[in-house]
Every structure is written in structure tokens, then in C-alpha cells.
């Protein structure tokens, strides 16, 4: 969050607001009572074993990039079937950029991964 603080679409200064909204009524952002499923970076590898298959998306120009990559690594270490996509040169939510080649590729990658996970 500190290395890529000011990026297109998502800036790290927005995170406290999103955490308060996301956790509303369950825990205080940053508190010890935040569940690991809400903040998987807090999870130990052993906590993640037995989870269903996962798709993890990371963008090169995104304050959450390193957290996503670390989470995927932990899932893989926990033997959770994991598909990791890292998009070089892309920013947070770049798949919403209409008419772009990378946006179309991101959507296609997600759809293909979901189909594989559903066995269809």
C-alpha cells in the first residue's frame, strides 16, 4: 500500500473507507477481531488448507498487488488449487476499461478460470 500509494482508479488513501464499509458491524479495521477470511493476509498457511479452488488477480500498478500475490502464494502452499493472474502494466480494475485489449483478455481469463473450476 505504501509503495504504490497514488495509482489510477484505486489509491491507498481509499482503503480505510472501504475497510470500514466492508467490515461494518463485524469488526473494526485493523483490530485483532478481523476474521482471516476478511483479511486473508493475516492467515497462516494452515488456516487456508481445505479452501475451495481460488482465482487470484493482481495488477502491476495497484496498491493491493503485493497482498494478492502473497495470498496466492499461501493458498498454493496450503495445496489449494489456485490460478494466479498478474497483469503487467495494468491498474486496479483495468478490466472495466471498455474496448481495450487487456480488459478483454482479463474478462476472458476470468471466464475461462471459472469454467475450469466448475468443470464445464
Amino acid at each position: 500500500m505504501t509503495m504504490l500509494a497514488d495509482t489510477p482508479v484505486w489509491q491507498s488513501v481509499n482503503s480505510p473507507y472501504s475497510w470500514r464499509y466492508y467490515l461494518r458491524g463485524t469488526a473494526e479495521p485493523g483490530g485483532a477481531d478481523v476474521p482471516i477470511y476478511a483479511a486473508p493476509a493475516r492467515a497462516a498457511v494452515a488456516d487456508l488448507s481445505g479452501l475451495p479452488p481460488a482465482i487470484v488477480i493482481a495488477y502491476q500498478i495497484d496498491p493491493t498487488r503485493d497482498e494478492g500475490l502473497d495470498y496466492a502464494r499461501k493458498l498454493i502452499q496450503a495445496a489449494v488449487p489456485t490460478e494466479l493472474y498478474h497483469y503487467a502494466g495494468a491498474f486496479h480494475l483495468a478490466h472495466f476499461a471498455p474496448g481495450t485489449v487487456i480488459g478483454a483478455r482479463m474478462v476472458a481469463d476470468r471466464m475461462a478460470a471459472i469454467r475450469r473450476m466448475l468443470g464445464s
Side-chain angles (χ1 to χ4, degrees), residues 13-118:
V13 297
N14 297 329
S15 292
Y17 303 109
S18 77
W19 273 111
R20 278 196 289 282
Y21 180 76
Y22 181 63
L23 294 171
R24 185 176 31 203
T26 61
E28 284 298 313
D33 58 340
V34 174
I36 61 168
Y37 297 114
R42 294 179 172 199
V45 171
D47 296 328
L48 303 173
S49 65
L51 288 178
I55 305 166
V56 179
I57 310 294
Y59 308 96
Q60 182 178 2
I61 307 166
D62 182 354
T64 67
R65 176 197 63 207
D66 295 340
E67 291 174 76
L69 295 172
D70 289 344
Y71 180 52
R73 180 185 48 78
K74 285 182 182 180
L75 287 169
I76 292 165
Q77 289 172 338
V80 174
T82 303
E83 292 200 30
L84 170 62
Y85 296 87
H86 175 265
Y87 294 99
F91 54 87
H92 193 85
L93 297 177
H95 63 279
F96 287 128
T100 63
V101 172
I102 193 160
R105 189 176 98 219
M106 290 175 178
V107 171
D109 288 347
R110 285 172 174 77
M111 296 304 294
I114 291 167
R115 283 188 191 100
R116 281 190 296 278
M117 288 181 178
L118 294 176

